[in-house]
Amino acid sequence: MGEFNVHRVRFFNYVPSGIRCVAYNNQSNRLAVSRTDGTVEIYNLSANYFQEKFFPGHESRATEALCWAKGQRLFSAGLNGEIIEYDLQALTIKYAVDAFGGPIWSMAASPSGSQLLVGCEDGSVKLFQITPDRIQFERNFDRQKSRILSLSWHPAGTHVAAGSIDYISVFDAKSGSAIGKMLVDRQYMGVSKRKCIIWGVAFLSDGTVISVDSAGKVQIWDSATGTLVKNHLVSNADVQSIAVSDQEDSFVVGTAEGTVFHFQLVSVTSSSSEKQWVRTKPFQHHTHDVRAVAHSPTALISGGTDTHLVIRPLMEKVEVKNYDAALRKITFPHRRLVSCAKKKQLLLFQFTHHLELWRLGSTVATGKNGDTLPLSKNADHLLHLKTKGPENIICSCISPCGGWIACSTASRFFLYRLNYEHDNITLQRVSKMPVFLRSALQILFSEDSTKLFVASNQGSLHVIRLLEGGFKHLHTFQPQSGAVQSMCLLAVSPDGNWLAASGTSAGVHVYNVKQLKLHCTVPAYNFPVTALAIAPNTNNLVIAHSDQQVFEYSIPDKQYTEWSRTVQKQGFHHLWLQRDTPITHISFHPKRPMHILLHDTYMFCLIDKSLPLPNDKTLLYNPLPPRNESDVIRRRTAHAFKISKKYKPLLFVDLLDEKTLVAVERPLDDIVAQLPPPIKKKKFGT
């Protein structure tokens, strides 16, 4: 693998936002997740749970409800009283509509997907018609005395259940009139509480309504008679969320204690056709409140204050025991938050509303392999750059020379010139940035720091020449097809001649920067691209996909390389394909053209193309043999993949030079330490 001096960086104080809502789409097998900072993420469950799209947050958008409607349309609503529809192609907000009912607490799309219901602070339930372009207000349902915190349609679309404070209302969906009310018992562990909040309701085909509340109860009701059929006390704290499977034979609930409970409909006896709901499995994968749950055909999905998105597979529903059968926790975004200026050994960290620039420390000490050396000069925090306004930062980048910083929000693009004088740093903002650079999804500087490449959410790529006092717009590559397709990943060749761009679909376009024209398009692949990079000298494009396949494509020859064809013929090791986190960064050794360096959250790997590929009988995670072994044994155990799991969770790994590596870690314990304290649970013996 080679010997490297490693800068082990742990001062990136990044804390993901907590999860507020999740919404599963059965038709496209995608999961929408909203976080407390207003960010909305789209995960493709068919593509190894890859986070293929995201919408940046906004300080005024506290999302409380999220749902899918007909035609793969995504809506959210929140405490600012607005209903928002998202443009899934351009990755922007299509429009926002005020519901005029105060803060919105709940939302549900009708089974047909043509209508949208929202529950408001003032006790109103409002029905909207979903038209091809927008939503249109249709009517109000009978107003209730308190806020509407949860909503659920009957699968036939005839009735609606609404959870409020102390009671559940049932409405006729056609007339909007309230036809029933079910009062919830305020008793909590034998003590009368003042209020009982209905956090979630689910309406089943047979007329059953299931409710979860702040008294820790899961209750099953007969909506026709308004009577309580069954009561399950599952928690000493709030039960905050519920989701039912499409077959209505199981449901999942999440509690404020961090526990997820699975309920299943089982026969009372083996010979009886009578069935009842039974609590079958509790799961404790969270440390804090489980604010949202979803139920896919093969998994239980949960998320909450501890920022983890947990996918727990239902083993009886998983046909093939591959990576779909593994429990996974997704904590970090599947996009880069760190960029590096190799020449000056600087790191730029991206946060929600600010950027931090750090200079790496150095040491004069020496030692043997594996030693941790003391720093003779500590890392310096050079710059704290805060953006104005309520919008979150979408992307950022520092130039390889360390002289430029660029970042973008949904409506503004910022470019800064940096000057270094000994230990002092001066910052000068470039004014009058063109309007077309707004809402950039990806920013990249050329290797010589003379050009800036900006990918917009409209599918166009802008080429900017950087001048000492400003910039000059050179060219715009327009999207190839008529449809708008956002470009999410960029890679530029070290010689500055080639630019590769990957969109939200699987295709990769390669542009000739000198001639300012499209050079070729890499054949489309079924799984989205997670990382790409262009090798020095050879100009080979290396592409990683979410199913853990890695391709190498020769840009000059417009075809896959021999090494790539060999890989596809032989196939990757089964343990490599079973990894459940995507490759997020690829780079190359400056002096060894046969070496490719790539990493995901839990490992970094050096692929040596000169060595044979490992087969399934070989150890993939191959430890280095003892030094006294003969060269024959060394050669026999050597294969192309050299993997290190020493550093994790990894947010960034790159080579600063041929002998120096930088690894940015973010230990999960450091994140938990910055979260609010969880509900204290009494343990045995304390």
Side-chain angles (χ1 to χ4, degrees):
M1 189 171 192
E3 294 182 0
F4 298 102
N5 297 320
V6 181
H7 288 274
R8 195 170 185 177
V9 174
R10 289 192 166 192
F11 47 76
F12 181 20
N13 193 24
Y14 171 73
V15 179
S17 296
I19 293 172
R20 181 61 194 91
C21 320
V22 296
Y24 173 68
N25 187 325
N26 203 8
Q27 290 175 302
S28 63
N29 200 24
R30 281 171 169 78
L31 182 77
V33 175
S34 74
R35 296 187 178 267
T36 51
D37 65 351
T39 303
V40 174
E41 302 162 344
I42 311 287
Y43 291 84
N44 188 341
L45 274 56
S46 303
N48 201 7
Y49 295 85
F50 176 61
Q51 187 192 112
E52 62 180 4
K53 302 175 184 179
F54 85 101
F55 299 87
H58 193 284
E59 281 183 351
S60 68
R61 289 203 304 266
T63 306
E64 284 292 322
L66 198 63
C67 75
W68 295 91
K70 193 176 184 179
Q72 317 300 317
R73 293 169 69 175
L74 180 64
F75 295 88
S76 75
L79 300 183
N80 62 355
E82 290 182 338
I83 304 167
I84 292 169
E85 182 175 3
Y86 297 90
D87 188 328
L88 298 179
Q89 293 302 316
L91 301 188
T92 57
I93 289 172
K94 196 181 284 186
Y95 60 84
V97 173
D98 196 323
F100 295 103
I104 298 172
W105 290 95
S106 52
M107 179 169 58
S110 64
S112 66
S114 59
Q115 293 174 308
L116 198 66
L117 269 182
V118 294
C120 303
E121 173 75 19
D122 64 357
S124 63
V125 177
K126 297 176 183 289
L127 182 68
F128 289 83
Q129 196 73 28
I130 300 175
T131 63
D133 299 324
R134 290 179 71 85
I135 58 172
Q136 188 175 338
F137 176 72
E138 196 166 318
R139 69 168 169 274
N140 281 316
F141 283 15
D142 289 353
R143 182 172 291 192
Q144 303 303 297
K145 291 181 179 178
S146 57
R147 63 180 68 141
I148 307 296
L149 292 156
S150 49
L151 287 167
S152 179
W153 287 80
H154 187 277
T158 54
H159 296 85
V160 172
S164 192
I165 297 174
D166 290 337
Y167 62 88
I168 302 162
S169 303
V170 178
F171 297 94
D172 181 280
K174 201 168 187 180
S175 65
S177 55
I179 57 173
K181 185 177 283 191
M182 294 170 278
L183 292 173
V184 180
D185 186 11
R186 294 186 183 188
Q187 290 291 109
Y188 171 73
M189 303 293 285
V191 179
S192 180
K193 288 186 75 179
R194 287 184 303 169
K195 291 180 180 178
C196 185
I197 302 167
I198 315 299
W199 286 119
V201 289
F203 218 142
L204 306 187
S205 301
D206 61 0
T208 300
V209 172
I210 306 170
S211 67
V212 297
D213 57 43
S214 60
K217 300 191 298 290
V218 177
Q219 296 188 315
I220 296 161
W221 305 82
D222 184 337
S223 65
T225 59
T227 54
L228 180 65
V229 177
K230 186 78 175 175
N231 182 37
H232 296 270
L233 183 64
V234 298
S235 175
N236 292 332
D238 297 42
V239 184
Q240 296 181 310
S241 47
I242 180 171
V244 182
S245 67
D246 284 346
Q247 287 75 30
E248 297 185 357
D249 58 355
S250 76
F251 68 88
V252 57
V253 299
T255 73
E257 293 179 314
T259 311
V260 172
F261 292 100
H262 187 206
F263 287 77
Q264 289 176 284
L265 193 61
V266 298
S267 300
V268 176
T269 61
S270 57
S271 58
S272 170
S273 60
E274 185 186 348
K275 294 186 174 183
Q276 66 179 15
W277 288 103
V278 175
R279 188 175 78 193
T280 55
K281 304 180 194 108
F283 305 116
Q284 187 76 44
H285 300 304
H286 295 273
T287 57
H288 291 64
D289 302 38
V290 178
R291 301 293 301 273
V293 291
H295 198 312
S296 82
T298 58
L300 308 178
I301 301 162
S302 56
T305 309
D306 65 1
T307 77
H308 301 305
L309 180 66
V310 176
I311 296 101
R312 170 87 191 193
L314 297 168
M315 297 304 289
E316 65 273 15
K317 301 284 181 72
V318 179
E319 295 176 6
V320 183
K321 298 296 184 281
N322 58 4
Y323 51 61
D324 286 335
L327 170 79
R328 68 188 70 203
K329 279 188 179 183
I330 301 171
T331 307
F332 301 102
H334 295 162
R335 60 184 189 278
R336 284 174 59 184
L337 300 173
V338 181
S339 59
C340 178
K342 298 180 183 180
K343 293 171 186 174
K344 283 196 176 287
Q345 300 211 335
L346 302 174
L347 290 177
L348 183 71
F349 299 141
Q350 178 184 318
F351 294 85
T352 306
H353 291 289
H354 74 275
L355 305 173
E356 286 184 6
L357 184 64
W358 289 74
R359 182 186 284 126
L360 292 170
S362 59
T363 183
V364 293
T366 56
K368 60 181 188 294
N369 278 349
D371 285 355
T372 301
L373 304 179
L375 288 175
S376 55
K377 186 180 179 185
N378 289 328
D380 289 334
H381 185 188
L382 301 178
L383 189 67
H384 181 102
L385 187 60
K386 194 174 188 318
T387 57
K388 292 181 179 178
E391 296 173 330
N392 291 8
I393 297 172
I394 299 174
C395 56
S396 61
C397 193
I398 186 169
S399 64
C401 70
W404 299 88
I405 288 177
C407 68
S408 176
T409 66
S411 63
R412 301 182 77 183
F413 187 90
F414 302 91
L415 181 63
Y416 299 93
R417 186 78 169 104
L418 279 71
N419 293 300
Y420 303 89
E421 295 175 11
H422 305 295
D423 287 338
N424 294 327
I425 181 170
T426 57
L427 188 73
Q428 181 185 355
R429 182 180 164 189
V430 179
S431 59
K432 297 182 180 177
M433 297 304 297
V435 176
F436 57 76
L437 290 181
R438 290 178 184 173
S439 197
L441 292 178
Q442 191 67 257
I443 305 168
L444 189 63
F445 289 92
S446 62
E447 196 79 11
D448 60 4
S449 303
T450 61
K451 291 188 180 73
L452 175 65
F453 304 100
V454 180
S456 80
N457 60 357
Q458 298 299 316
S460 52
L461 290 169
H462 307 291
V463 184
I464 308 293
R465 175 176 286 144
L466 299 172
L467 308 171
E468 188 59 39
F471 65 93
K472 180 184 177 184
H473 176 231
L474 290 181
H475 187 71
T476 296
F477 295 110
Q478 296 298 340
Q480 297 308 305
S481 59
V484 171
Q485 187 203 18
S486 304
M487 292 295 174
C488 300
L489 290 170
L490 295 178
V492 64
S493 61
D495 60 14
N497 293 338
W498 306 104
L499 176 68
S502 168
T504 47
S505 66
V508 178
H509 302 297
V510 180
Y511 299 90
N512 188 321
V513 178
K514 278 192 173 179
Q515 298 177 9
L516 298 176
K517 67 176 186 180
L518 178 70
H519 176 69
C520 64
T521 300
V522 180
Y525 185 64
N526 294 336
F527 289 83
V529 178
T530 65
L532 46 85
I534 301 174
N537 305 321
T538 60
N539 283 327
N540 289 336
L541 174 64
V542 179
I543 307 168
H545 292 271
S546 65
D547 64 342
Q548 311 301 355
Q549 294 290 344
V550 178
F551 296 92
E552 187 181 50
Y553 186 85
S554 172
I555 293 174
D557 299 337
K558 299 185 182 180
Q559 63 180 10
Y560 289 110
T561 64
E562 278 303 314
W563 180 81
S564 189
R565 293 177 193 277
T566 304
V567 168
Q568 292 311 307
K569 192 178 291 183
Q570 182 176 331
F572 284 103
H573 197 285
H574 70 281
L575 291 177
W576 176 266
L577 296 176
Q578 285 174 13
R579 292 171 22 258
D580 60 6
T581 52
I583 293 163
T584 51
H585 186 225
I586 302 170
S587 59
F588 304 93
H589 196 289
K591 295 292 175 67
R592 296 175 187 164
M594 299 301 282
H595 288 190
I596 303 171
L597 182 79
L598 37 81
H599 79 88
D600 64 14
T601 312
Y602 295 105
M603 65 95 209
F604 75 86
C605 172
L606 196 150
I607 300 177
D608 186 344
K609 295 190 293 178
S610 64
L611 292 174
L613 292 167
N615 57 37
D616 281 354
K617 295 177 183 176
T618 315
L619 277 172
L620 177 66
Y621 303 108
N622 193 8
L624 289 173
R627 290 196 174 275
N628 58 3
E629 283 201 35
S630 68
D631 286 339
V632 177
I633 297 175
R634 277 176 183 270
R635 281 198 297 270
R636 197 164 60 216
T637 57
H639 58 69
F641 285 72
K642 304 293 183 289
I643 294 173
S644 170
K645 290 190 169 184
K646 182 175 181 179
Y647 312 105
K648 55 188 179 182
L650 276 171
L651 294 185
F652 181 77
V653 174
D654 204 355
L655 283 161
L656 294 176
D657 55 49
E658 56 190 285
K659 291 186 177 178
T660 312
L661 199 70
V662 59
V664 179
E665 296 175 276
R666 188 66 180 125
L668 295 178
D669 290 346
D670 293 356
I671 294 174
V672 172
Q674 296 188 48
L675 296 175
I679 289 177
K680 185 171 175 59
K681 287 181 279 190
K682 182 166 177 60
K683 294 181 180 178
F684 179 76
T686 60

